[in-house]
Amino acid sequence: MTMHTKTLKQLSQGLQTGEYSSQELTLAYLNRIQQYSALNSFISVTEAQAIAAAKQADALLTAGNAPLLTGIPMAHKDIFCTQGVKTSCGSKMLDNFIAPYNATVVDNLNAAGMVSLGKLNMDEFAMGSSNETSFYGTAYNPWADNTVPGGSSGGSAAAVAARLIPAATGTDTGGSIRQPAAFCGITGLKPTYGRVSRYGMIAYASSLDQGGPMTQTAEDAALMLQAMAGFDPKDSTSAQQDVPNYSTNLNNSLQDLKIGLPKEFFDEGLNNDMATAIETAVNEYKQMGAEIIEVSMPHLKLAIPAYYVIAPAECSANLQRMDGVRFGHRCDNPEDLNDLYIRSRGEGFGTEVKRRILVGTYALSAGYYDAHYIKAQKIRRLITEDFTKALESVDVIMGPVTPTPAFGIGEKTADPIEMYLADIYTIAINLAGLPAMSIPAGFIDNKPVGLQIIGNYFAEAKLLNVAHQYQQVTNWHQQTPKGFE
Ligand code: GLN
């Protein structure tokens, strides 16, 4: 087996037994990143820092007692602040921004000994479902020419799928970990809101944003989440809840597991081949002894309209700080303060970001606040109740991640609503703040399919167990796209 197809678990064994060094591993992955630069999955490659970190990791490994992930390469979505390294958030606005501090997630993974190779491509300020809103151009899906990798964590998913890195960080506000994971045939986990610190993770919609791991396997997602999760005094929304050991229960039996299938997930909107693929995956669980129960989420159809009021409202406030004064893009020769604001923001933000700032500002303005924003918050509550009610009678909820497999580049850019509908099965979970995973569950015309597993608050260990058991009896997660073997 070549090095780049190995999982974190396998790489850790090789490093700990001295089969190869972190420096060797780091150079091998850096070479692959260069070899496949046409995928456009990276915005920055931090070679010198990576080699220095690998040297340190090797010293720790030789000394013994190094933590499990020591010396393993990875990369961060370019939304996480990395001290001394450009943190662009996929935007021209922050193209010149060198973060002065690390996000807590970055600090945590550094402390776990991981070696960051750079920063990954993404939709501008995480607004998008295809990576096409990135100032740096879209990343490509390694599975099929001219298809999108999904978004907003498209670079993370493409790079892990192409085996340019064994793991990446992502963030998920309405599906941005799960949808690209599904499109690229990898495993993605969006944790419970508050499980992973948002400190230093550039805010899009603060009440929905959550960071999480993107890996080949559920076993690896458990290792990454272990290092990423935990209470952070620097993030007031971070949960004061102990982090369990995510790796110990992976092999629990699924005998009598109760799986809820929301009937609204399998309506007309779902492509037939996708429905068949998900049914096949659910049947696999039946074989393992699980019981299937139909559940209903009557308010699910309101998730997209509610999200597209709440998320823009929050983003319009969060993005106010980008004004050309303290950091980020500043226009040339401003005439006065107003001109500075108008031109700096006008030049720095892309079309989709501007659209959302306008929508959000409108929804929050006097007179429209009650009509739109308050109403959306009420819908959010009803959607949350649909889920909590269903989760009283089942252990997990399953369904598709996306209505179709990866779509073509340019296919949905002309119509924003079309693009928004790509997240129909993921957005409600963020509104409810629940944890959910996407795992590889087959192919349609050579394009990967994702199975979504949704759990109760802080039930990440259960989700990982359910995902891992599926990966013991299937090999979808081990497939590598042609040309990247
Ligand atoms: N595609 C959704 C959006 O454009 C979700 C993005 C995300 O999760 N960051 O807002």
XYZ file of all heavy atoms in Angstrom, residues 126-129 152 172-176 204 307-308 356 423, ligand 1:
123
model
N -17.423 31.151 3.198
C -18.203 29.917 3.409
C -19.621 30.008 2.863
O -20.504 29.261 3.286
C -18.201 29.494 4.884
N -19.830 30.939 1.940
C -21.166 31.098 1.351
C -21.186 30.449 -0.016
O -20.695 31.021 -0.999
C -21.520 32.582 1.234
C -21.543 33.244 2.600
S -21.742 35.019 2.450
C -21.227 35.517 4.080
N -21.744 29.251 -0.074
C -21.809 28.558 -1.348
C -21.896 27.061 -1.144
O -21.714 26.558 -0.033
N -22.205 26.351 -2.217
C -22.378 24.901 -2.160
C -21.568 24.221 -3.251
O -21.815 23.071 -3.575
C -23.854 24.547 -2.373
O -24.655 25.293 -1.495
N -19.294 24.644 1.355
C -18.185 25.530 1.080
C -16.806 24.903 1.314
O -15.822 25.422 0.792
C -18.308 26.786 1.945
O -18.250 26.467 3.320
N -19.204 23.900 8.888
C -20.524 23.544 8.381
C -21.554 24.489 9.010
O -21.793 24.439 10.210
C -20.789 22.078 8.768
C -22.002 21.472 8.089
O -23.048 22.138 8.059
O -21.916 20.312 7.617
N -22.126 25.361 8.172
C -23.136 26.317 8.622
C -24.519 25.869 8.157
O -25.526 26.110 8.820
C -22.800 27.722 8.062
O -21.489 28.067 8.486
C -23.788 28.781 8.515
N -24.505 25.197 6.985
C -25.768 24.688 6.445
C -25.532 23.409 5.655
O -26.408 22.960 4.910
N -24.335 22.846 5.790
C -24.022 21.609 5.071
C -22.601 21.538 4.555
O -22.215 20.560 3.910
N -21.825 22.571 4.845
C -20.510 22.730 4.208
C -19.442 21.699 4.543
O -18.400 21.685 3.893
C -19.965 24.113 4.506
O -20.538 25.026 3.616
N -19.357 33.267 9.824
C -20.329 33.497 8.750
C -21.667 33.741 9.450
O -22.101 34.874 9.593
C -20.301 32.298 7.801
C -21.507 32.081 6.900
C -22.423 33.099 6.637
C -21.715 30.848 6.295
C -23.522 32.883 5.815
C -22.809 30.622 5.469
C -23.725 31.642 5.241
O -24.806 31.413 4.437
N -33.473 29.474 6.850
C -32.005 29.612 6.837
C -31.580 30.842 6.050
O -30.685 31.581 6.469
C -31.391 28.356 6.227
C -29.883 28.413 6.023
C -29.009 27.985 7.026
C -29.333 28.867 4.825
C -27.634 28.017 6.832
C -27.964 28.909 4.624
C -27.116 28.482 5.628
O -25.753 28.515 5.431
N -32.225 31.080 4.906
C -31.808 32.199 4.062
C -32.351 33.544 4.540
O -32.212 34.548 3.850
C -32.072 31.906 2.578
C -30.932 31.053 2.046
C -31.062 29.676 1.895
C -29.690 31.630 1.812
C -29.986 28.901 1.477
C -28.616 30.863 1.401
C -28.764 29.502 1.222
O -27.693 28.743 0.829
N -25.933 38.383 0.031
C -26.360 37.984 1.383
C -26.324 39.154 2.359
O -27.182 39.257 3.231
C -25.489 36.832 1.866
C -25.662 35.657 0.926
C -25.371 34.371 1.569
N -25.373 33.322 0.546
C -25.212 32.061 0.801
N -25.029 31.657 2.034
N -25.230 31.175 -0.168
N -28.755 22.181 -0.685
C -28.544 21.900 0.745
C -29.819 21.512 1.470
O -29.902 21.591 2.691
C -27.964 23.145 1.427
C -26.609 23.515 0.856
O -25.834 22.601 0.564
O -26.344 24.715 0.711
N -24.429 26.219 1.103
C -24.891 26.876 2.281
C -24.704 28.364 2.132
O -24.362 28.767 1.083
C -24.170 26.366 3.490
C -22.766 26.856 3.543
C -22.067 26.433 4.794
O -22.424 25.452 5.439
N -21.053 27.206 5.149
O -24.903 29.123 3.022
